[in-house]
């Protein structure tokens, strides 16, 4: 293994980790706030990717501009989904039933995408999709850098929102102790709805970032469910920084393992990490107290 | 009002009963009378992972049925197609062929799409002693199962898809030949078969295989594989690919500014979506193909015309292989003079073993395992257009080597 390949893989791993962090952020938020296992999160990612592709195809403009429409749209859809569907589940069986409910939503989205856009595999053909810049001898694809930048900005915004705003305080209070939050006047149901909306808004950003450098098709979301679930469990359910750290560690780990062991073994890293976490530290390596504090 | 309601209920009941009766009657359509249509049963992945190629195969079959009926049918009888959807599932495809043969009593069956569905369905056909001509099971694994009734209706099996390219590379003078080769293939019998066939021939001739990577079908990130290939500096890259992985891998290689002398990828470059996805950076990319609408085989000219009239555009490889399946079965039926279940099927099989059939992909004959004894054409993107470049006697444009930068 040459040094340049190792460095190149490291750089690719960091970029991949950033994308993973963005894609998994919403997933950990739903669980943190509402104990909802949102299987449909990756289906929403693919939906956003399709909307970005369609926007680019119809207008010829950069797919990033579609965020102006998709982010508010997904936010609203998230609030509506939480208020109309998730709140109707009984608290005692919420976690389990949310799996079934969101599984159905994922199938619905996949079916609709196939119906509207057919099963043909699509890719956004950007003028800069094959361009790269050199970074200390490693090549960095411009699209990957854009996706990474998008991830960094969104996660930073999310962090500031949760840490600094009154809404963020209310959301964190709801996560820590819903009953206590209610006692001090936090309208937890409303907060949960907005939290779900924010989670889905991250899916709009993540899906658009994904669409820049991926070939998309309706059933692609199943390939993402496993790795994303593994990331949020390792990171500690509900912890945004934990998710970001786990995503980065697993992204870099996958990229470096690939050099020596090949793709198949590199991909099993996620599942090995998942098993080890569940055995050794079920609350996640960066969860627990960190999850409470964000 | 209530009387009206009762009447409506009675009417509905009568209608459903008649519908049931009709269905029951049409269930056993395989009678084989001189005026009865010849019913051909087929199960296709019309939904699920293989739905796109599955629909292509369906269009090919439909084009063949309409062409045959326009020309007076088979043995003077009308031909009908009975299509079931297996949802790309190997379990469903088995049930479907059981139902087609035993319940619907179809006269003949055609194969489904994809090696993964062909193997289980061929087993059902074999149990019932049915002739099984299939358009899409090209992997070597299909022919190692010991099927005695199976024939693949395309020029060559996966292992031989790159045969003309291998011949060409090995015929180059030592100085012009690539020395090092990087191979990346999906863990899929067909995709892997194509790449490994070429890899093994080049390795035997002394070329060095510097990267030999296999990735699972659900791989979404190809940057790591591309980095390995780029780092090896291989003169040539071979992709044993389906569609999305080929596109993702090519873009990932371009992002690293890797410039090989030869870049060959199976499946994707023959797809009309390919240049849409890659844009103007397709220059020099090579792919094996079993079919070109421009080929001047006698039946192909008529096929392209008929197909274009029906579907508004020229046929692609899946459509052509499906049409070829129809031609192969029809040739056997016309020669033997029968088309029904039972002893006739063995006569059809025996006839195909010993004869050559003219099809839209050229004349086809088979070995005792059902492997076609021909070869795939090699196509290349030259000046933004895709042309057949090998073998030289059917080439539309000269083979460009080394390939221009992409």
């Amino acid at each position: 293994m040459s040094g340049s390949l190792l460095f190149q893989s490291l750089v690719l791993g960091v970029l991949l980790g950033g994308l993973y962090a963005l894609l998994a952020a919403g997933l950990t938020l739903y669980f943190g706030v509402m104990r909802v296992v949102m299987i449909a999160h990756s289906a929403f990612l693919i939906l956003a990717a399709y909307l970005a592709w369609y926007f680019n195809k119809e207008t010829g403009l950069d797919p990033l501009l579609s965020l102006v429409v998709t982010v508010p749209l997904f936010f609203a859809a998230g609030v509506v989904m939480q208020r109309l569907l998730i709140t109707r589940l009984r608290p005692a069986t919420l976690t389990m039933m949310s799996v079934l409910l969101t599984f159905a939503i994922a199938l619905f989205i996949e079916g609709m995408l196939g119906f509207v856009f057919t099963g043909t595999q699509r890719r956004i053909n950007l003028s800069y999709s094959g361009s790269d810049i050199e970074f200390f001898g490693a090549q960095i694809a411009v699209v990957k850098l854009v996706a990474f930048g998008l991830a960094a900005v969104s996660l930073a915004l999310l962090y500031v929102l949760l840490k600094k705003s009154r809404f963020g305080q209310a959301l964190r209070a709801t996560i820590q102790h819903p009953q206590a939050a209610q006692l001090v006047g936090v309208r937890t149901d409303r907060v949960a709805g907005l939290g779900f909306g924010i989670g889905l808004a991250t899916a709009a950003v993540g899906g658009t970032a994904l669409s820049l450098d991926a070939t998309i098709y309706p059933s692609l979301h199943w390939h993402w469910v496993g790795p994303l679930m593994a990331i949020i469990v390792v990171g500690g359910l509900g912890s945004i920084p934990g998710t970001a750290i786990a995503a980065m560690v697993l992204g870099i780990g996958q990229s470096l393992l690939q050099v020596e062991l090949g793709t198949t073994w590199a991909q099993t890293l996620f599942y090995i990490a998942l098993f080890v976490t569940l055995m050794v530290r079920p609350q996640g390596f960066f969860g627990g107290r960190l999850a409470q504090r964000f | 009002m209530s009387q009206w309601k009762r009447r409506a209920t009675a009417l509905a009941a009568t209608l459903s009963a008649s519908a049931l009766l009709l269905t029951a009657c049409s269930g056993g359509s395989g009678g084989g009378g001189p005026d009865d249509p010849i019913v051909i049963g087929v199960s296709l992945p019309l939904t699920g992972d293989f739905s796109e190629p599955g629909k292509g195969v369906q269009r090919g079959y439909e084009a063949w049925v309409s062409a045959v009926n326009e020309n007076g049918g088979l043995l003077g009888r009308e031909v009908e197609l009975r299509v079931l959807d297996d949802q790309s599932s190997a379990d469903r495809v088995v049930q479907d062929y059981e139902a087609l043969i035993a319940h619907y009593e179809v006269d003949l069956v055609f194969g489904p799409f994809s090696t993964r569905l062909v193997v289980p369905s061929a087993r059902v056909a074999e149990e019932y002693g049915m002739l099984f001509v299939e358009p899409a099971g090209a992997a070597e694994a299909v022919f190692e199962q010991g099927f005695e009734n199976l024939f693949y209706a395309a020029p060559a099996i996966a292992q031989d898809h790159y045969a003309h390219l291998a011949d060409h590379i090995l015929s180059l003078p030592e100085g012009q030949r690539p020395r090092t080769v990087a191979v990346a293939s999906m863990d899929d019998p067909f995709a892997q078969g194509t790449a490994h066939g070429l890899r093994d021939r080049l390795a035997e001739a002394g070329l060095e295989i510097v990267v030999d990577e296999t990735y699972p079908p659900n791989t979404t990130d190809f940057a790591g594989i591309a980095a390995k290939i780029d780092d090896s500096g291989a003169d040539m890259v071979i992709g044993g690919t389906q569609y999305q992985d080929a596109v993702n891998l090519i873009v990932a290689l371009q992002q690293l500014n890797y410039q090989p002398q030869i870049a060959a990828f199976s499946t994707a470059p023959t797809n009309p979506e390919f240049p849409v996805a890659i844009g103007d950076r397709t220059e020099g990319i090579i792919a094996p193909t079993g079919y070109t609408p421009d080929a001047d085989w006698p039946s192909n000219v008529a096929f392209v015309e008929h197909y274009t009239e029906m579907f508004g555009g020229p046929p692609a490889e899946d459509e052509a292989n499906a049409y070829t399946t129809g031609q192969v079965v029809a040739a056997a039926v016309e020669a033997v003079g029968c088309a029904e279940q039972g002893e006739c099927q063995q006569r059809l099989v025996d006839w195909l073993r010993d004869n050559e059939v003219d099809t839209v992909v050229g004349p086809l004959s088979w070995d005792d395992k059902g492997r076609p004894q021909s070869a795939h054409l090699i196509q290349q993107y030259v000046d933004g257009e895709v042309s057949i470049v090998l073998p030289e006697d059917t080439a539309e444009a000269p083979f460009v080597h080394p390939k221009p930068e992409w």
Side-chain angles (χ1 to χ4, degrees):
Chain A
M1 188 202 320
S2 69
S4 63
L5 176 57
L6 200 63
F7 182 62
Q8 175 75 60
S9 300
L10 185 68
V11 169
L12 288 171
V14 170
L15 295 172
L16 190 62
L19 184 65
Y20 282 160
L22 175 58
L23 300 187
L27 208 51
T28 205
L29 195 60
Y30 311 122
F31 194 88
V33 182
M34 288 152 285
R35 302 289 176 267
V36 168
V37 181
M38 171 73 162
I39 302 286
H41 186 70
S42 44
F44 277 102
L45 291 173
I46 306 305
L47 175 63
Y50 262 97
L51 294 176
W53 163 79
Y54 186 70
F55 173 82
N56 172 263
K57 185 171 95 74
E58 291 298 309
T59 65
L61 298 171
D62 195 287
L64 291 180
L65 291 173
S66 69
L67 287 172
V68 178
V69 182
T70 52
V71 169
L73 189 73
F74 274 49
F75 175 76
V79 174
V80 169
M81 204 170 130
Q82 201 277 339
R83 302 308 297 148
L84 286 186
L85 297 172
I86 307 283
T87 43
R88 284 165 199 254
L89 301 175
R90 284 175 41 214
T93 54
L94 177 63
T95 307
M96 192 181 70
M97 293 310 286
S98 68
V99 173
L100 293 179
L101 176 68
T102 57
F103 187 79
I105 293 170
L107 284 178
F108 176 75
I109 293 174
E110 182 185 337
M112 285 308 289
L113 284 177
F115 181 70
V116 177
F117 297 116
T118 77
T120 304
Q121 297 172 334
R122 315 284 186 180
R123 189 183 182 97
I124 300 177
N125 180 16
L126 290 165
S127 57
Y128 54 91
S129 69
S131 315
D132 61 280
I133 52 172
E134 201 169 310
F135 176 73
F136 295 110
Q139 313 287 332
I140 302 181
V142 174
V143 278
K144 288 197 196 303
L145 205 59
V146 172
F148 186 82
L150 216 52
V153 170
S154 320
L155 290 175
L157 277 177
L158 195 59
Y159 188 76
V160 170
L161 179 76
L162 293 173
K163 200 78 181 163
K164 303 285 178 202
S165 71
R166 270 193 76 77
F167 164 73
Q169 279 181 345
L171 192 67
R172 283 185 291 142
T174 308
I175 291 169
Q176 279 180 16
H177 205 301
Q179 284 82 15
Q182 275 170 352
L183 281 176
V184 294
V186 175
R187 291 176 61 185
T188 51
D189 51 348
R190 211 170 135 239
V191 166
L194 294 176
F196 209 89
I198 290 173
L200 219 52
T202 69
V205 184
T208 309
L210 188 68
S211 76
L212 297 177
D213 197 30
T215 304
I216 52 173
Y217 46 98
S219 62
L220 175 63
H221 65 110
W222 297 119
H223 297 180
W224 282 99
V225 174
L228 295 187
M229 286 287 172
I231 288 171
I232 67 163
V233 171
V234 174
L237 296 161
S239 161
I240 299 270
T243 299
I245 297 168
M248 203 47 96
V249 169
L250 290 173
I252 294 172
Q254 183 193 357
S255 197
L256 292 181
L257 272 184
Q258 188 157 23
V259 178
E260 275 302 301
L261 297 177
T263 316
T264 309
W265 283 108
Q267 286 193 7
T268 55
L269 172 69
F270 286 88
Y271 303 101
I272 293 169
L274 179 64
F275 289 136
V276 170
T277 307
L278 291 175
M279 279 191 306
V280 179
R281 207 178 142 84
Q283 74 272 38
F285 280 98
F286 311 98
R289 278 186 310 142
L290 191 62
Q292 312 280 307
R293 289 188 288 116
F294 271 100
Chain B
M1 185 66 191
S2 68
Q3 197 185 5
W4 192 89
K5 220 174 184 175
R6 252 204 310 279
R7 262 190 215 158
T9 319
L11 183 69
T14 319
L15 278 177
S16 0
S18 329
L20 274 175
L21 203 65
L22 276 174
T23 325
C25 290
S26 65
S29 53
D35 298 325
D36 290 343
I38 292 179
V39 183
I40 300 174
V42 53
S43 169
L44 286 172
L46 300 177
T47 51
D49 287 352
F50 304 134
S51 64
E52 276 307 290
K55 284 174 191 159
V57 170
Q58 185 181 27
R59 286 192 296 272
Y61 284 156
E62 283 170 357
W64 175 78
V65 167
S66 99
V68 162
N69 287 336
E70 269 179 26
N71 291 319
L74 266 185
L75 304 175
R77 291 161 64 189
E78 185 99 346
V79 174
E80 264 179 27
L81 211 55
R82 183 178 280 274
V83 182
L84 302 180
D85 175 13
D86 55 48
Q87 299 164 356
S88 307
S89 142
D91 297 331
R92 280 297 293 263
V93 85
V94 167
Q95 289 173 21
D96 282 359
Y97 278 94
E98 289 270 3
L100 288 167
I101 299 169
H103 176 70
Y104 296 113
E105 295 179 25
V106 296
D107 298 290
L108 299 159
V109 287
F110 286 174
F113 177 86
S114 147
T115 291
R116 285 183 243 177
L117 301 179
V118 161
V119 171
S121 49
R123 201 157 283 138
V124 178
E126 188 90 3
E127 273 171 29
Y128 286 91
M130 300 289 284
L131 166 69
F132 194 75
V133 183
E134 50 95 359
E140 183 57 31
V142 173
F143 309 97
E144 286 167 351
Q145 311 283 324
F147 294 131
E148 287 177 3
N149 297 355
L150 179 140
F151 298 84
Y152 176 39
I157 64 164
Q159 227 77 10
D160 297 336
H161 277 193
Y162 280 120
H164 284 308
L165 181 63
D167 292 343
H168 182 79
I169 291 171
L170 299 180
S171 73
L172 290 172
E174 200 66 39
Q176 290 175 27
R177 249 195 227 180
R179 289 168 205 281
T180 50
V181 181
V183 185
S185 28
M186 185 194 271
D187 194 356
D188 167 270
F190 165 77
Q192 215 167 35
T194 58
H196 290 185
L198 178 57
R199 176 197 69 184
D200 295 347
R201 283 212 43 203
L202 297 180
E204 273 167 32
L207 278 74
E208 193 188 347
I209 310 298
V210 287
V211 174
D212 194 356
E213 188 83 10
T214 302
Y215 51 85
N218 64 356
T219 303
T220 49
D221 181 67
F222 286 82
I225 300 171
K228 254 181 164 174
I229 294 172
D230 179 42
D231 185 67
S232 76
D235 297 333
M236 172 176 180
V237 57
I238 305 170
T241 43
Q242 300 278 17
Y243 182 79
Q244 88 279 4
D245 51 325
V247 171
N248 289 344
L249 180 56
I250 290 169
V251 174
L253 288 168
Q254 290 173 341
Q255 287 172 347
L256 296 174
N257 205 17
Y258 166 69
Q259 301 289 354
Q261 285 176 31
I262 297 178
F265 296 86
S266 42
T267 316
T270 60
N271 187 313
E273 274 290 311
F274 182 75
V276 182
I278 306 269
D280 53 5
R281 303 188 70 181
T282 52
E283 209 51 24
I285 293 175
I286 293 168
T289 179
Y291 177 70
T292 163
D294 301 328
D296 51 5
W297 306 111
S299 61
N300 188 45
V301 180
F303 166 52
V304 174
E305 199 174 295
H306 184 78
Y307 185 93
T308 310
E309 201 175 289
M310 264 180 94
F311 297 104
E317 197 173 353
D318 292 326
E319 287 83 344
N321 286 350
Y323 195 90
T324 306
T325 303
Q327 286 184 304
V328 169
V329 174
V333 167
E334 294 287 359
V336 172
C338 69
E340 69 266 344
Q341 292 195 25
E343 176 263 345
C344 167
Q345 298 286 324
Q346 189 55 47
R347 283 164 59 201
L348 296 172
V349 170
D350 292 342
W351 187 85
L352 281 178
R353 284 269 171 264
D354 301 331
N355 287 280
E356 188 177 85
V357 181
D358 282 320
T359 72
V360 295
V361 298
L364 292 182
S365 59
W366 297 266
D367 71 0
D368 59 345
K369 298 275 191 295
R371 293 188 196 92
Q373 303 295 295
S374 192
H376 264 43
L377 306 164
I378 301 293
Q379 66 165 33
Q380 188 173 31
Y381 277 87
V382 183
D383 295 331
E385 292 289 319
V386 65
S387 311
I388 303 299
V389 291
L390 291 172
E392 271 159 21
D393 53 348
T394 49
E396 300 160 355
F399 181 71
V400 178
H401 175 247
K403 80 176 219 32
E405 291 203 349
W406 55 11

